[in-house]
């Protein structure tokens, strides 16, 4: 398996929220991509948004926490 | 061939609809079941269709739109999922069996039903809404437009009545979705049920419902959702709550393409064209000896003109139109028994001509000329 490294992973309450998030990120050129929900995040739909911690720090001020269920650092 | 059976299904779709369906068939995985590119592509197609429908209906968000296989399934979900045995429901004699039969089934369990009637032009007798109100009235279920006469329902009036008395408003938009503006938030509609294959220009086997945020309809079916696999209960979040099992992605992609095309053209523009065609046909046939036209032409209406030719069986007239002139229309009862009872056409049925913006003035006039020829043969 590939070597693990830390990421910030956002979970969503429903798939439709994840798709809305991806659409916004593509439009605003926010780095990251949708991945299967890691087991570390028990709540949420089957999709999660993964981004590098440095990108998270750069963008988090512009995120509305109501748009995702949770954010966590995960080794992937 | 002249196709004038658009109230049954629109036949001439924009090319983008078929193209989107084929593309999805060849490239889409199962939406919401993983995160590889084919499944994400499918999820994006579904999301884009939701977003288009939300924009068309002025909904709060794409999450308010759940897909179903047709308006009938959507109506069964709304009626069965929101109304209980102790409730009373006000509906109308204009309804299609997709409304009536779910209500009749509830009635067997105790639900009480009342029906608003119509006048001799098949216009709803709006004063009856207040008269039919009971302490346990829970909901009003109305069609946006009669699939028999083309008369539209004054949804602003009904919504105001429902709001005044704290009732749920469930609207059957089978004949109006994509054919006229239906701003759900502005009107105060709680649930809007639509089919994909008529005015929305999508394929058969598609449809869905708008559900106001905060309102929870018990799902008709539960099962696979792609999420929360170890939970014994189906997810409660919209739209997953009402979408058990794999969605019809090629169909939804086609529906989404149809909706985008409508948004580009403008609903009002398309409505004006098909309404003008129906009016042109109406003006050309109304004076033909023996022709009886049903409905009110003094008010806003769907592009439907239903009529009879003297005492002739509507099926015989429709068959002659097809066999002698290549004109496609619909005869019979149109799955709306109470409307025909109200208008005294149970035995004869009606011949329904229903127009699309894809029709032409020449087609409308040719249909009128064919009807005139049949009338002279009598």
């Amino acid at each position: 398996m590939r070597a693990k490294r830390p990421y910030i992973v956002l979970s969503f309450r429903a798939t439709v929220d994840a798709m809305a998030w991806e659409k916004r990120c593509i439009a605003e050129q926010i780095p990251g991509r949708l991945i299967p929900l890691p087991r570390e995040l028990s709540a949420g739909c089957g999709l999660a948004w993964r981004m590098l911690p440095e990108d998270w720090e750069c963008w988090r001020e512009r995120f509305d926490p109501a748009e995702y269920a949770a954010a966590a650092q995960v080794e992937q | 061939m002249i196709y004038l059976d658009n109230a049954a299904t629109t036949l001439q779709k924009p090319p983008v609809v078929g193209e989107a369906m084929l593309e999805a068939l060849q490239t889409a995985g199962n939406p919401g079941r993983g995160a590889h590119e084919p499944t994400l592509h499918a999820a994006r197609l579904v999301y884009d269709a939701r977003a288009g429908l939300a924009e068309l209906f002025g909904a709060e968000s794409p999450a308010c739109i759940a897909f179903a296989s047709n308006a009938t399934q959507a109506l069964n979900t709304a009626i069965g999922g929101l109304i209980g045995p102790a409730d009373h429901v006000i509906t109308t004699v204009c309804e299609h069996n997709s409304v009536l039969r779910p209500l009749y089934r509830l009635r067997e369990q105790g639900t009480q039903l009342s029906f608003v009637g119509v006048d001799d032009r098949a216009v709803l007798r709006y004063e009856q809404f207040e008269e039919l109100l009971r302490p346990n009235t829970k909901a009003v279920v109305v069609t946006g437009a009669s699939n028999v006469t083309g008369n539209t329902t004054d949804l602003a009036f009904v919504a105001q009545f429902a709001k005044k008395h704290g009732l749920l408003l469930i609207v059957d938009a089978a004949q109006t979705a994509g054919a006229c503006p239906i701003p759900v938030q502005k009107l105060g509609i709680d649930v809007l049920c639509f089919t994909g294959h008529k005015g929305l220009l999508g394929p058969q086997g598609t449809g869905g419902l708008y559900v106001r945020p905060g309102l929870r309809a018990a799902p008709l079916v539960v099962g696979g959702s792609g999420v929360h696999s170890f939970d014994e209960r189906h997810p409660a979040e919209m739209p997953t709550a009402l979408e058990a099992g794999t969605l019809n992605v090629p169909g939804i992609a086609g529906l989404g393409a149809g909706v985008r095309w409508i948004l580009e053209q403008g609903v009002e523009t398309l409505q004006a064209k098909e309404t003008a065609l129906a009016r042109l046909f109406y003006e050309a046939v109304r004076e033909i000896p023996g022709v009886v036209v049903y409905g009110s032409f003094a008010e806003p209406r769907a592009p439907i003109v239903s009529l009879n030719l003297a005492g002739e069986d509507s099926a015989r007239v429709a068959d002659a139109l097809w066999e002698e002139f290549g004109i496609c229309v619909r005869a019979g009862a149109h799955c709306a028994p109470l409307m025909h009872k109200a208008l005294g056409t149970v035995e004869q049925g009606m011949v329904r001509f229903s127009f699309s913006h894809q029709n032409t003035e020449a087609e409308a006039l040719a249909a009128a000329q064919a009807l005139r020829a049949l009338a002279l043969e009598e």
Side-chain angles (χ1 to χ4, degrees):
Chain A
M1 283 292 287
R2 59 192 174 185
K4 289 186 175 180
R5 61 152 299 164
Y7 289 97
I8 299 297
V9 176
L10 310 184
S11 62
F12 302 92
R13 293 169 193 84
T15 305
V16 68
D17 296 331
M19 302 318 298
W21 180 268
E22 186 200 47
K23 201 168 189 70
R24 178 218 170 156
C25 289
I26 290 170
E28 297 182 27
Q29 296 184 308
I30 298 170
R33 69 180 179 90
L34 287 171
I35 62 166
L37 183 71
R39 63 182 178 184
E40 290 87 341
L41 293 169
S42 58
C45 73
L47 294 172
W49 183 261
R50 189 182 82 175
M51 59 197 305
L52 295 169
E54 51 268 37
D55 290 331
W56 166 255
E57 289 304 324
C58 179
W59 285 90
R60 62 184 299 180
E61 291 297 315
R62 278 175 269 185
F63 293 161
D64 178 357
E67 293 182 62
Y68 51 85
Q73 182 162 313
V74 174
E75 293 281 328
Q76 280 233 306
Chain B
M1 181 182 82
I2 298 176
Y3 187 81
L4 298 177
D5 199 13
N6 295 285
T9 195
T10 49
L11 190 60
Q12 292 123 322
K13 321 277 190 186
V16 289
V17 173
E19 291 163 9
M21 292 180 70
L22 184 59
E23 194 274 342
L25 194 66
Q26 294 173 335
T27 61
N30 195 332
R33 268 71 170 172
H36 52 73
E37 184 54 29
T39 185
L40 288 178
H41 176 54
R44 290 176 195 125
L45 291 173
V46 171
Y47 181 81
D48 286 346
R50 270 191 230 288
L53 286 159
E55 182 180 345
L56 184 69
F57 297 136
E60 290 85 346
S61 81
C64 300
I65 306 292
F67 289 107
S69 58
N70 45 50
T72 295
Q73 189 186 44
L75 284 159
N76 271 268
T77 297
I79 291 169
L82 291 166
I83 299 166
D87 297 327
H88 170 244
V89 175
I90 299 174
T91 186
T92 83
V93 299
C94 301
E95 306 309 313
H96 187 278
N97 272 336
S98 56
V99 167
L100 296 175
R101 286 176 174 162
L103 287 174
Y104 291 151
R105 188 163 65 171
L106 280 177
R107 188 166 63 183
E108 292 172 3
Q109 299 163 17
T111 305
Q112 300 165 325
L113 308 179
S114 296
F115 297 87
V116 175
V118 293
D119 65 17
D120 59 358
R121 297 173 305 141
V123 175
L124 280 170
R125 296 181 60 190
Y126 289 98
E127 75 281 5
Q128 291 185 351
F129 280 94
E130 288 283 353
E131 295 166 10
L132 294 173
L133 191 68
R134 298 181 189 176
N136 63 331
T137 304
K138 172 79 176 287
V140 182
V141 188
V142 294
T143 185
S146 164
N147 70 310
V148 176
T149 66
N151 286 2
T152 52
T153 300
D154 183 348
L155 289 179
F157 174 91
V158 180
Q160 192 176 29
F161 165 76
K163 185 179 179 184
K164 178 181 171 187
H165 298 288
L167 312 178
L168 293 175
L169 175 57
I170 300 170
V171 175
D172 170 11
Q175 293 299 331
T176 49
C180 69
I182 314 174
V184 289
Q185 284 192 80
K186 188 177 169 189
L187 284 168
I189 293 172
D190 294 298
V191 182
L192 183 82
C193 301
F194 56 90
T195 190
H197 67 99
K198 296 182 181 179
L200 292 175
L201 305 174
Q204 295 168 7
T206 61
L209 60 168
Y210 156 84
V211 180
R212 170 177 55 76
L215 184 62
R216 285 196 173 184
L220 197 63
V221 291
V222 294
S225 62
V227 298
H228 306 306
S229 295
F230 293 96
D231 193 334
E232 293 186 359
R233 293 160 302 173
H234 193 79
E237 293 80 17
M238 273 287 288
T240 314
L242 302 181
E243 291 180 344
T246 297
L247 291 169
N248 171 10
V249 175
I252 290 169
L255 172 59
V259 169
R260 286 289 166 205
W261 187 87
I262 290 167
L263 288 167
E264 288 165 13
Q265 305 295 314
V267 177
E268 291 89 350
T269 302
L270 299 174
Q271 180 187 20
K273 184 176 180 192
E274 56 193 21
T275 301
L277 289 171
R279 171 64 66 170
L280 179 68
F281 174 78
Y282 167 70
E283 295 294 346
V285 301
R286 58 187 292 208
E287 301 298 343
I288 295 175
V291 167
V292 178
V293 182
Y294 301 91
S296 170
F297 288 75
E299 293 152 61
R301 50 184 297 100
I304 290 170
V305 181
S306 286
L307 53 82
N308 272 316
L309 199 52
E312 279 295 344
D313 178 4
S314 62
R316 188 164 176 265
V317 176
D319 190 54
L321 286 166
W322 168 245
E323 189 176 27
E324 296 177 34
F325 302 96
I327 296 172
C328 306
V329 297
R330 170 89 187 273
H334 316 91
C335 302
L338 301 185
M339 187 84 264
H340 284 276
K341 285 180 182 175
L343 296 174
T345 51
V346 171
E347 295 300 322
Q348 191 176 14
M350 291 184 199
V351 187
R352 182 182 70 186
F353 298 76
S354 51
F355 295 82
S356 157
H357 39 77
Q358 299 296 306
N359 289 124
T360 64
E361 290 187 359
E363 289 178 327
L365 292 173
Q369 188 57 38
L371 194 66
R372 182 178 295 277
L374 288 179
L376 293 175
E377 285 175 10
E378 298 300 319

